[in-house]
Short mmCIF file of all heavy atoms in Angstrom, two decimals:
data_model
loop_
_atom_site.label_atom_id
_atom_site.label_comp_id
_atom_site.label_asym_id
_atom_site.label_seq_id
_atom_site.Cartn_x
_atom_site.Cartn_y
_atom_site.Cartn_z
N LEU A 1 -49.30 -15.58 -3.34
CA LEU A 1 -49.48 -14.45 -2.48
C LEU A 1 -49.62 -14.90 -1.04
O LEU A 1 -49.02 -14.31 -0.09
CB LEU A 1 -50.61 -13.49 -2.88
CG LEU A 1 -50.39 -12.72 -4.12
CD1 LEU A 1 -51.70 -12.03 -4.57
CD2 LEU A 1 -49.24 -11.73 -3.93
N ALA A 2 -50.36 -15.96 -0.82
CA ALA A 2 -50.54 -16.42 0.50
C ALA A 2 -49.27 -16.95 1.14
O ALA A 2 -48.99 -16.72 2.26
CB ALA A 2 -51.65 -17.56 0.52
N LEU A 3 -48.53 -17.65 0.28
CA LEU A 3 -47.22 -18.20 0.74
C LEU A 3 -46.32 -17.05 1.07
O LEU A 3 -45.63 -17.11 2.15
CB LEU A 3 -46.55 -19.04 -0.21
CG LEU A 3 -45.26 -19.68 0.05
CD1 LEU A 3 -45.31 -20.58 1.30
CD2 LEU A 3 -44.72 -20.48 -1.20
N LEU A 4 -46.20 -16.00 0.22
CA LEU A 4 -45.39 -14.89 0.46
C LEU A 4 -45.74 -14.19 1.82
O LEU A 4 -44.91 -13.88 2.64
CB LEU A 4 -45.49 -13.83 -0.68
CG LEU A 4 -44.69 -12.66 -0.53
CD1 LEU A 4 -43.14 -12.96 -0.61
CD2 LEU A 4 -44.94 -11.65 -1.79
N GLY A 5 -47.09 -14.04 2.02
CA GLY A 5 -47.56 -13.41 3.26
C GLY A 5 -47.22 -14.23 4.54
O GLY A 5 -46.76 -13.76 5.50
N ALA A 6 -47.19 -15.52 4.32
CA ALA A 6 -46.92 -16.54 5.38
C ALA A 6 -45.38 -16.36 5.74
O ALA A 6 -44.95 -16.32 6.93
CB ALA A 6 -47.20 -17.92 5.10
N LEU A 7 -44.54 -16.27 4.70
CA LEU A 7 -43.14 -16.17 4.92
C LEU A 7 -42.79 -14.85 5.55
O LEU A 7 -41.97 -14.76 6.43
CB LEU A 7 -42.40 -16.28 3.52
CG LEU A 7 -42.33 -17.64 2.89
CD1 LEU A 7 -41.69 -17.51 1.44
CD2 LEU A 7 -41.57 -18.57 3.74
N ARG A 8 -43.42 -13.69 5.16
CA ARG A 8 -43.19 -12.46 5.77
C ARG A 8 -43.61 -12.48 7.28
O ARG A 8 -42.99 -11.88 8.15
CB ARG A 8 -43.88 -11.33 5.00
CG ARG A 8 -43.18 -11.02 3.78
CD ARG A 8 -43.75 -9.80 3.15
NE ARG A 8 -43.02 -9.57 1.94
CZ ARG A 8 -42.94 -8.41 1.29
NH1 ARG A 8 -43.50 -7.38 1.85
NH2 ARG A 8 -42.28 -8.25 0.22
N ALA A 9 -44.69 -13.12 7.54
CA ALA A 9 -45.25 -13.15 8.85
C ALA A 9 -44.35 -14.07 9.75
O ALA A 9 -44.25 -13.81 11.04
CB ALA A 9 -46.69 -13.78 8.88
N GLN A 10 -43.58 -14.94 9.19
CA GLN A 10 -42.78 -15.79 9.99
C GLN A 10 -41.23 -15.34 9.97
O GLN A 10 -40.38 -16.17 10.31
CB GLN A 10 -42.82 -17.24 9.44
CG GLN A 10 -44.20 -17.81 9.58
CD GLN A 10 -44.24 -19.20 8.91
OE1 GLN A 10 -43.37 -19.63 8.23
NE2 GLN A 10 -45.39 -19.89 9.25
N ASP A 11 -40.97 -14.12 9.59
CA ASP A 11 -39.61 -13.78 9.49
C ASP A 11 -38.91 -13.67 10.87
O ASP A 11 -37.71 -13.47 10.93
CB ASP A 11 -39.38 -12.48 8.70
CG ASP A 11 -40.04 -11.22 9.28
OD1 ASP A 11 -40.57 -11.43 10.43
OD2 ASP A 11 -39.91 -10.23 8.69
N GLY A 12 -39.61 -13.92 11.94
CA GLY A 12 -39.04 -14.11 13.23
C GLY A 12 -38.62 -12.93 13.98
O GLY A 12 -38.08 -13.06 15.17
N VAL A 13 -38.76 -11.68 13.55
CA VAL A 13 -38.33 -10.52 14.29
C VAL A 13 -39.69 -9.81 14.66
O VAL A 13 -40.33 -9.17 13.92
CB VAL A 13 -37.51 -9.72 13.43
CG1 VAL A 13 -36.98 -8.42 14.29
CG2 VAL A 13 -36.32 -10.38 12.94
N PRO A 14 -39.95 -9.84 16.04
CA PRO A 14 -41.15 -9.16 16.53
C PRO A 14 -41.06 -7.67 16.60
O PRO A 14 -39.84 -7.14 16.52
CB PRO A 14 -41.34 -9.86 17.95
CG PRO A 14 -39.94 -10.15 18.36
CD PRO A 14 -39.19 -10.57 17.02
N VAL A 15 -42.11 -7.02 16.80
CA VAL A 15 -42.03 -5.58 17.08
C VAL A 15 -42.78 -5.29 18.40
O VAL A 15 -43.69 -6.09 18.78
CB VAL A 15 -42.78 -4.82 15.93
CG1 VAL A 15 -42.95 -3.30 16.16
CG2 VAL A 15 -42.04 -4.98 14.59
N GLN A 16 -42.25 -4.30 19.17
CA GLN A 16 -42.80 -4.05 20.45
C GLN A 16 -44.23 -3.95 20.41
O GLN A 16 -44.82 -3.18 19.55
CB GLN A 16 -42.17 -2.69 20.94
CG GLN A 16 -42.72 -2.05 22.17
CD GLN A 16 -42.31 -2.81 23.40
OE1 GLN A 16 -41.22 -3.28 23.49
NE2 GLN A 16 -43.14 -2.82 24.48
N THR A 17 -44.98 -4.54 21.31
CA THR A 17 -46.36 -4.52 21.37
C THR A 17 -46.81 -3.11 21.93
O THR A 17 -46.21 -2.57 22.79
CB THR A 17 -46.95 -5.61 22.43
OG1 THR A 17 -46.43 -6.87 22.03
CG2 THR A 17 -48.42 -5.61 22.44
N ASP A 18 -47.90 -2.55 21.37
CA ASP A 18 -48.37 -1.22 21.76
C ASP A 18 -47.21 -0.22 21.71
O ASP A 18 -47.03 0.60 22.61
CB ASP A 18 -48.91 -1.21 23.14
CG ASP A 18 -50.12 -2.23 23.25
OD1 ASP A 18 -50.90 -2.27 22.26
OD2 ASP A 18 -50.32 -2.88 24.30
N PHE A 19 -46.46 -0.18 20.57
CA PHE A 19 -45.37 0.74 20.48
C PHE A 19 -45.75 2.20 20.57
O PHE A 19 -46.77 2.51 19.97
CB PHE A 19 -44.61 0.56 19.12
CG PHE A 19 -43.47 1.40 18.90
CD1 PHE A 19 -42.37 1.34 19.56
CD2 PHE A 19 -43.63 2.52 17.96
CE1 PHE A 19 -41.25 2.20 19.34
CE2 PHE A 19 -42.58 3.35 17.67
CZ PHE A 19 -41.45 3.24 18.41
N GLN A 20 -45.14 2.95 21.41
CA GLN A 20 -45.40 4.39 21.56
C GLN A 20 -44.22 5.24 21.26
O GLN A 20 -43.25 5.41 21.98
CB GLN A 20 -45.77 4.64 23.01
CG GLN A 20 -46.97 3.97 23.52
CD GLN A 20 -47.21 4.04 24.99
OE1 GLN A 20 -47.17 5.04 25.53
NE2 GLN A 20 -47.56 2.84 25.58
N GLN A 21 -44.29 5.72 20.00
CA GLN A 21 -43.07 6.43 19.36
C GLN A 21 -42.65 7.58 20.18
O GLN A 21 -41.38 7.84 20.33
CB GLN A 21 -43.51 6.81 17.91
CG GLN A 21 -42.35 7.40 17.20
CD GLN A 21 -42.66 7.56 15.76
OE1 GLN A 21 -42.96 6.56 15.14
NE2 GLN A 21 -42.54 8.79 15.23
N ASP A 22 -43.50 8.37 20.77
CA ASP A 22 -43.16 9.61 21.42
C ASP A 22 -42.28 9.24 22.67
O ASP A 22 -41.39 10.00 23.09
CB ASP A 22 -44.38 10.36 21.91
CG ASP A 22 -45.31 9.55 22.76
OD1 ASP A 22 -45.55 8.38 22.54
OD2 ASP A 22 -45.82 10.19 23.78
N LYS A 23 -42.39 8.09 23.26
CA LYS A 23 -41.62 7.63 24.45
C LYS A 23 -40.21 7.13 23.99
O LYS A 23 -39.28 7.01 24.90
CB LYS A 23 -42.40 6.52 25.29
CG LYS A 23 -43.55 6.99 25.98
CD LYS A 23 -44.12 5.85 26.76
CE LYS A 23 -45.25 6.37 27.62
NZ LYS A 23 -45.79 5.32 28.49
N LEU A 24 -40.01 6.88 22.73
CA LEU A 24 -38.69 6.42 22.21
C LEU A 24 -37.73 7.60 22.02
O LEU A 24 -36.57 7.39 21.98
CB LEU A 24 -38.86 5.64 20.99
CG LEU A 24 -37.59 4.84 20.56
CD1 LEU A 24 -37.30 3.69 21.55
CD2 LEU A 24 -37.83 4.28 19.14
N THR A 25 -38.39 8.81 21.91
CA THR A 25 -37.52 9.93 21.61
C THR A 25 -36.63 10.39 22.76
O THR A 25 -36.82 10.01 23.99
CB THR A 25 -38.36 11.25 21.16
OG1 THR A 25 -39.23 11.46 22.24
CG2 THR A 25 -39.14 10.91 19.83
N GLY A 26 -35.53 11.07 22.45
CA GLY A 26 -34.59 11.54 23.49
C GLY A 26 -33.21 10.88 23.26
O GLY A 26 -32.87 10.37 22.24
N ARG A 27 -32.39 11.07 24.30
CA ARG A 27 -30.97 10.59 24.21
C ARG A 27 -30.88 9.16 24.70
O ARG A 27 -31.44 8.72 25.66
CB ARG A 27 -30.13 11.48 25.13
CG ARG A 27 -28.76 10.98 25.24
CD ARG A 27 -27.86 11.77 26.25
NE ARG A 27 -27.82 13.16 25.90
CZ ARG A 27 -26.73 13.79 25.26
NH1 ARG A 27 -25.82 13.00 24.99
NH2 ARG A 27 -26.77 15.02 25.04
N TRP A 28 -30.05 8.43 23.91
CA TRP A 28 -29.77 7.10 24.21
C TRP A 28 -28.19 6.83 24.05
O TRP A 28 -27.58 7.61 23.32
CB TRP A 28 -30.49 6.05 23.20
CG TRP A 28 -31.93 6.09 23.28
CD1 TRP A 28 -32.76 6.77 22.57
CD2 TRP A 28 -32.68 5.22 24.13
NE1 TRP A 28 -34.17 6.45 22.92
CE2 TRP A 28 -34.08 5.51 23.86
CE3 TRP A 28 -32.42 4.24 25.07
CZ2 TRP A 28 -35.07 4.85 24.54
CZ3 TRP A 28 -33.40 3.52 25.73
CH2 TRP A 28 -34.73 3.84 25.47
N TYR A 29 -27.67 5.80 24.71
CA TYR A 29 -26.36 5.41 24.52
C TYR A 29 -26.35 4.03 23.87
O TYR A 29 -27.11 3.18 24.19
CB TYR A 29 -25.57 5.24 25.88
CG TYR A 29 -25.44 6.52 26.53
CD1 TYR A 29 -26.38 6.98 27.53
CD2 TYR A 29 -24.42 7.41 26.21
CE1 TYR A 29 -26.22 8.24 28.14
CE2 TYR A 29 -24.27 8.68 26.84
CZ TYR A 29 -25.17 9.15 27.77
OH TYR A 29 -25.07 10.32 28.33
N SER A 30 -25.52 3.86 22.85
CA SER A 30 -25.35 2.47 22.29
C SER A 30 -24.51 1.69 23.13
O SER A 30 -23.30 1.91 23.23
CB SER A 30 -24.75 2.65 20.87
OG SER A 30 -25.59 3.38 20.00
N ILE A 31 -25.06 0.68 23.72
CA ILE A 31 -24.38 -0.17 24.71
C ILE A 31 -23.86 -1.43 23.95
O ILE A 31 -22.78 -1.88 24.25
CB ILE A 31 -25.33 -0.58 25.86
CG1 ILE A 31 -25.81 0.67 26.58
CG2 ILE A 31 -24.66 -1.59 26.75
CD1 ILE A 31 -24.74 1.29 27.50
N GLY A 32 -24.70 -2.00 23.09
CA GLY A 32 -24.38 -3.28 22.43
C GLY A 32 -24.59 -3.15 20.96
O GLY A 32 -25.50 -2.43 20.49
N LEU A 33 -23.79 -3.88 20.15
CA LEU A 33 -23.91 -3.87 18.74
C LEU A 33 -23.57 -5.33 18.31
O LEU A 33 -22.45 -5.83 18.75
CB LEU A 33 -23.07 -2.82 18.04
CG LEU A 33 -23.02 -2.84 16.55
CD1 LEU A 33 -24.39 -2.59 15.96
CD2 LEU A 33 -21.97 -1.78 16.05
N ALA A 34 -24.41 -5.94 17.48
CA ALA A 34 -24.15 -7.23 16.90
C ALA A 34 -24.43 -7.23 15.41
O ALA A 34 -25.32 -6.54 15.06
CB ALA A 34 -24.95 -8.27 17.65
N SER A 35 -23.53 -7.78 14.66
CA SER A 35 -23.78 -7.79 13.16
C SER A 35 -22.98 -8.83 12.50
O SER A 35 -21.81 -9.23 13.00
CB SER A 35 -23.46 -6.30 12.60
OG SER A 35 -23.65 -6.45 11.18
N ASN A 36 -23.45 -9.31 11.39
CA ASN A 36 -22.76 -10.28 10.60
C ASN A 36 -22.19 -9.60 9.25
O ASN A 36 -21.90 -10.27 8.36
CB ASN A 36 -23.55 -11.52 10.31
CG ASN A 36 -24.84 -11.23 9.60
OD1 ASN A 36 -25.16 -10.12 9.29
ND2 ASN A 36 -25.64 -12.25 9.30
N SER A 37 -22.21 -8.26 9.24
CA SER A 37 -21.69 -7.59 8.06
C SER A 37 -20.21 -7.52 8.04
O SER A 37 -19.61 -7.57 9.11
CB SER A 37 -22.30 -6.18 8.07
OG SER A 37 -21.74 -5.37 9.14
N ASN A 38 -19.63 -7.27 6.81
CA ASN A 38 -18.20 -7.17 6.66
C ASN A 38 -17.67 -5.98 7.33
O ASN A 38 -16.63 -6.03 7.99
CB ASN A 38 -17.88 -7.25 5.18
CG ASN A 38 -18.11 -8.58 4.57
OD1 ASN A 38 -18.00 -9.53 5.17
ND2 ASN A 38 -18.37 -8.64 3.32
N TRP A 39 -18.38 -4.82 7.25
CA TRP A 39 -17.83 -3.63 7.92
C TRP A 39 -17.72 -3.76 9.37
O TRP A 39 -16.87 -3.26 10.08
CB TRP A 39 -18.67 -2.33 7.55
CG TRP A 39 -20.03 -2.35 8.14
CD1 TRP A 39 -21.19 -2.71 7.54
CD2 TRP A 39 -20.38 -1.90 9.49
NE1 TRP A 39 -22.27 -2.57 8.44
CE2 TRP A 39 -21.75 -2.14 9.61
CE3 TRP A 39 -19.68 -1.52 10.59
CZ2 TRP A 39 -22.46 -1.79 10.81
CZ3 TRP A 39 -20.37 -1.25 11.75
CH2 TRP A 39 -21.74 -1.35 11.84
N PHE A 40 -18.67 -4.53 10.04
CA PHE A 40 -18.58 -4.71 11.49
C PHE A 40 -17.34 -5.57 11.81
O PHE A 40 -16.57 -5.29 12.77
CB PHE A 40 -19.86 -5.48 11.93
CG PHE A 40 -19.83 -5.75 13.40
CD1 PHE A 40 -20.03 -4.71 14.38
CD2 PHE A 40 -19.70 -6.97 13.87
CE1 PHE A 40 -20.00 -4.93 15.78
CE2 PHE A 40 -19.68 -7.28 15.26
CZ PHE A 40 -19.78 -6.32 16.19
N LYS A 41 -17.10 -6.61 11.04
CA LYS A 41 -15.92 -7.48 11.32
C LYS A 41 -14.62 -6.69 11.19
O LYS A 41 -13.73 -6.96 11.89
CB LYS A 41 -15.94 -8.69 10.40
CG LYS A 41 -17.15 -9.68 10.56
CD LYS A 41 -17.28 -10.67 9.54
CE LYS A 41 -18.59 -11.44 9.72
NZ LYS A 41 -18.88 -12.41 8.57
N GLU A 42 -14.57 -5.79 10.20
CA GLU A 42 -13.48 -5.00 9.97
C GLU A 42 -13.19 -3.93 10.97
O GLU A 42 -12.09 -3.63 11.36
CB GLU A 42 -13.43 -4.33 8.56
CG GLU A 42 -13.40 -5.37 7.46
CD GLU A 42 -13.75 -4.80 6.07
OE1 GLU A 42 -13.93 -3.57 5.99
OE2 GLU A 42 -13.84 -5.50 5.10
N LYS A 43 -14.23 -3.37 11.52
CA LYS A 43 -14.14 -2.20 12.35
C LYS A 43 -14.46 -2.47 13.86
O LYS A 43 -14.28 -1.65 14.68
CB LYS A 43 -15.15 -1.11 11.96
CG LYS A 43 -15.03 -0.67 10.48
CD LYS A 43 -13.78 0.22 10.39
CE LYS A 43 -13.78 0.75 8.94
NZ LYS A 43 -12.57 1.47 8.60
N LYS A 44 -14.79 -3.74 14.16
CA LYS A 44 -15.23 -4.10 15.54
C LYS A 44 -14.23 -3.70 16.58
O LYS A 44 -14.59 -3.15 17.66
CB LYS A 44 -15.47 -5.68 15.60
CG LYS A 44 -15.81 -6.18 16.87
CD LYS A 44 -16.04 -7.67 16.68
CE LYS A 44 -16.18 -8.37 18.11
NZ LYS A 44 -16.28 -9.82 18.07
N HIS A 45 -12.94 -3.89 16.36
CA HIS A 45 -11.91 -3.55 17.37
C HIS A 45 -11.78 -2.04 17.61
O HIS A 45 -11.20 -1.61 18.68
CB HIS A 45 -10.59 -4.20 16.96
CG HIS A 45 -9.99 -3.57 15.72
ND1 HIS A 45 -10.54 -3.84 14.43
CD2 HIS A 45 -8.96 -2.56 15.58
CE1 HIS A 45 -9.90 -3.07 13.55
NE2 HIS A 45 -8.94 -2.36 14.22
N LEU A 46 -12.27 -1.21 16.72
CA LEU A 46 -12.21 0.25 16.85
C LEU A 46 -13.58 0.80 17.55
O LEU A 46 -13.55 2.05 17.93
CB LEU A 46 -12.06 0.90 15.51
CG LEU A 46 -10.77 0.55 14.72
CD1 LEU A 46 -10.84 1.06 13.39
CD2 LEU A 46 -9.61 1.03 15.49
#
């Protein structure tokens, strides 16, 4: 269990410090997209 916890803690993807969900709401534009999925490779040009 300790090893599993250490692996999860080290998965390398941080989360915004002091995240404020109410400030995230509203309209956004998707400016960039990156992915190693097959659908992305197939549809990237579109």
